[in-house]
């Protein structure tokens, strides 16, 4: 998997949303929801995307699937530029890219029976006969551990965890290669979260899925991810193998996030890094590094120059003037 070409790759991806209107309909400003993101996901890999609410994680996931169109940038799936595809070609590719949404109830049509919901993608893409599609739906419901009679019931008849299982079955119906799980367990009770996470991991192993797992809970991301990307105010500030990120975080924002993760054993307390100030507005982000107003380590260059996301030999990449991807050999930093 290490040497494989990326299945999904984005280059300098940006999405700016207009805010308000001036005379002649011109926008008063722009929300820089995604502001120059580049990343790659290899086949069979799970990339965990982490950050505070409003940092652009969900927008990035939707951009990759072209559920919304980017302002600028490039998106590649299996080497093919997605932004060059017309509607017919994009629909063909959509079979290979699916999404599990955050709200397991709001994403399901309350007027449709579960069998119709799960089989809708099969019907849209003209896969199989009606009898074959029905058999496929039954197989999918069994795969996500729902009872056979679920096929004739409505979404409101199920618990939140069961509804998310329906959403997973719907996403897997057309046999995708790439799955975006957008806060797929954040709306569920903790005990149910573990069941859904274990189900996703088992299905990934069984089906050979590649996954972008979006979350704000670092404990969950550690459990499911091979690599982790940390996002702040529309930009990726650190990426690397899971073990590297969790045992030796480099970027000050990553360190602050990890210091806030609760420790189950009260005898092993850790110092928490409290960030000062508020998250800057994505309409008027600070000059230089967007994190510098909240960073205790900021120096003059941080206030003037946007730090590039620079990779080190271990596969770690960090966007920081003070803490590079690889510590200096003299032990400083």
């Amino acid at each position: 998997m290490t040497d494989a070409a990326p299945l999904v790759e984005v280059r300098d991806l940006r999405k700016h949303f207009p805010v308000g209107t001036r005379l002649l309909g011109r926008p008063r400003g722009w929300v820089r929801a995604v502001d120059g993101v580049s990343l790659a996901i290899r086949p069979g890999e799970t990339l965990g995307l982490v950050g505070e609410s409003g940092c652009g994680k969900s927008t990035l996931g939707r951009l990759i699937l072209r559920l919304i169109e980017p302002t600028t940038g490039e998106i590649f799936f299996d080497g093919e530029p997605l932004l060059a595809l017309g509607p017919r070609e994009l629909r063909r590719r959509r079979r290979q890219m699916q999404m599990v949404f955050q709200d397991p109830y709001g994403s399901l049509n309350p007027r449709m029976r579960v069998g119709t919901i799960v089989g809708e993608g099969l019907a849209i893409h003209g896969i199989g006969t009606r009898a074959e599609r029905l058999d496929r739906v039954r197989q999918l419901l069994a795969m996500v551990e729902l009872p056979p009679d679920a096929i004739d019931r409505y979404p409101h008849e199920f618990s939140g965890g069961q509804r998310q299982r329906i959403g997973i079955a719907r996403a897997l119906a057309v046999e995708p290669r790439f799955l975006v799980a957008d806060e797929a367990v954040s709306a569920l009770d903790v005990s149910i979260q573990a069941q859904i996470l274990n189900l996703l991991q088992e299905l990934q192993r069984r089906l050979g899925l590649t996954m972008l797992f979006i979350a704000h809970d670092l404990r969950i991301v550690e459990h499911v991810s091979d690599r982790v990307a940390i996002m702040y105010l529309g930009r990726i500030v650190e990426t690397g193998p899971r073990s590297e990120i969790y045992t030796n975080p480099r970027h000050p924002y990553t360190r602050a996030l990890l210091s806030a993760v609760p420790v189950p054993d009260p005898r092993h307390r850790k110092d928490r890094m409290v960030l000062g100030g508020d998250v800057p507005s994505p309409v008027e982000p600070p000059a230089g590094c967007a994190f510098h107003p909240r960073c205790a380590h900021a120096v003059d260059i941080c206030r003037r120059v946007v730090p590039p996301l620079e990779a080190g030999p271990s596969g770690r990449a960090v966007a920081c003037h003070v803490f590079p991807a690889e510590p200096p050999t003299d032990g400083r930093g």
Side-chain angles (χ1 to χ4, degrees), residues 41-55:
I41 311 174
R42 295 184 291 268
E45 178 181 57
T46 296
L47 176 67
L49 182 61
V50 187
E52 295 171 287
S53 296
C55 72

Side-chain angles (χ1 to χ4, degrees), residues 50-73:
V50 187
E52 295 171 287
S53 296
C55 72
K57 305 184 302 295
S58 295
T59 302
L60 179 58
R62 285 165 167 77
L63 286 171
I64 292 174
L65 300 184
R66 274 194 67 182
L67 296 179
I68 55 178
E69 296 296 318
T71 303
T72 60

Side-chain angles (χ1 to χ4, degrees), residues 91-292:
R91 172 176 284 194
R92 173 179 55 84
R93 271 300 188 192
R94 283 263 165 79
R95 281 191 58 181
Q96 301 180 45
M97 308 180 298
Q98 292 292 309
M99 192 168 195
V100 178
F101 296 91
Q102 176 178 358
D103 185 353
Y105 188 67
S107 62
L108 304 176
N109 189 330
R111 294 185 176 88
M112 292 171 63
R113 297 180 190 271
V114 167
T116 305
I117 292 172
V118 175
E120 188 176 22
L122 298 171
I124 289 172
H125 290 283
I127 301 172
T129 64
R130 186 171 182 177
E132 290 170 339
R133 290 197 290 267
L134 187 59
D135 286 341
R136 173 67 176 160
V137 169
R138 292 194 179 104
Q139 292 170 10
L140 287 161
L141 294 178
M143 189 182 296
V144 298
E145 300 172 4
L146 286 173
D149 66 349
I151 197 169
D152 293 318
R153 294 158 62 187
Y154 291 92
H156 72 268
E157 301 179 61
F158 297 89
S159 67
Q162 289 174 320
R163 287 196 286 262
Q164 196 59 290
R165 291 173 187 269
I166 296 168
I168 294 171
R170 176 180 60 183
L172 297 179
V174 292
E175 300 182 341
R177 298 167 61 192
F178 176 58
L179 193 67
V180 175
D182 182 17
E183 300 275 11
V185 298
S186 64
L188 306 177
D189 293 339
V190 173
S191 60
I192 305 302
Q193 285 183 357
Q195 296 176 21
I196 299 300
L197 289 174
N198 291 335
L199 174 64
L200 282 171
Q201 287 186 294
E202 172 60 26
L203 291 172
Q204 183 189 26
R205 285 191 292 266
R206 190 191 311 178
L207 304 175
L209 292 170
T210 303
M211 186 156 58
L212 175 64
F213 188 90
I214 299 171
H216 62 269
D217 191 327
L218 281 156
R219 295 170 301 172
I220 291 174
V221 170
E222 183 181 17
H223 182 66
V224 302
S225 302
D226 301 302
R227 287 192 305 121
V228 177
I230 309 295
M231 196 168 184
Y232 184 79
L233 211 66
R235 292 179 176 269
I236 302 295
V237 298
E238 183 167 5
T239 66
R242 175 187 57 192
S243 59
E244 291 283 334
I245 295 292
Y246 280 84
T247 60
N248 184 29
R250 297 294 297 160
H251 197 283
Y253 179 60
T254 309
R255 296 180 186 186
L257 289 179
L258 286 170
S259 75
V261 175
V263 178
D265 190 342
R267 294 171 298 179
H268 295 84
R269 296 185 178 181
K270 58 183 179 181
D271 295 331
R272 179 171 180 178
M273 295 175 58
V274 179
L275 296 176
D278 298 321
V279 179
S281 168
V283 179
E284 297 181 0
C289 174
F291 187 63
H292 86 256

